[in-house]
């Protein structure tokens, strides 16, 4: 049986880049399979 996607909105542009590996590990531990990113990245471009 296929498992449903479990997702999160993640805004790496709002956090220090050094936090990203820790954040990703926590998402994996929580069973997150999809991350939406870049939604507000336009303000950095």
């Amino acid at each position: 049986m296929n498992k449903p996607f479990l997702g999160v909105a993640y805004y790496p542009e709002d956090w220090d880049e050094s936090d990203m590996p820790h954040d990703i590990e926590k998402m994996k531990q929580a069973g997150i399979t999809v991350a939406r990113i870049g939604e507000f990245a336009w303000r950095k471009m």
Side-chain angles (χ1 to χ4, degrees):
M1 180 186 299
N2 293 332
K3 293 182 180 181
F5 290 112
L6 179 58
V8 65
Y10 184 65
Y11 305 104
E13 65 273 11
D14 289 338
W15 305 100
D16 191 281
E17 192 172 329
S18 65
D19 293 336
M20 197 176 301
H22 177 261
D23 295 342
I24 292 170
E25 184 57 37
K26 288 297 188 181
M27 285 185 241
K28 287 179 180 180
Q29 290 174 4
I32 301 296
T33 55
V34 177
R36 183 179 74 217
I37 62 171
E39 184 175 354
F40 296 110
W42 56 266
R43 71 179 180 197
K44 294 277 190 176
M45 295 178 192

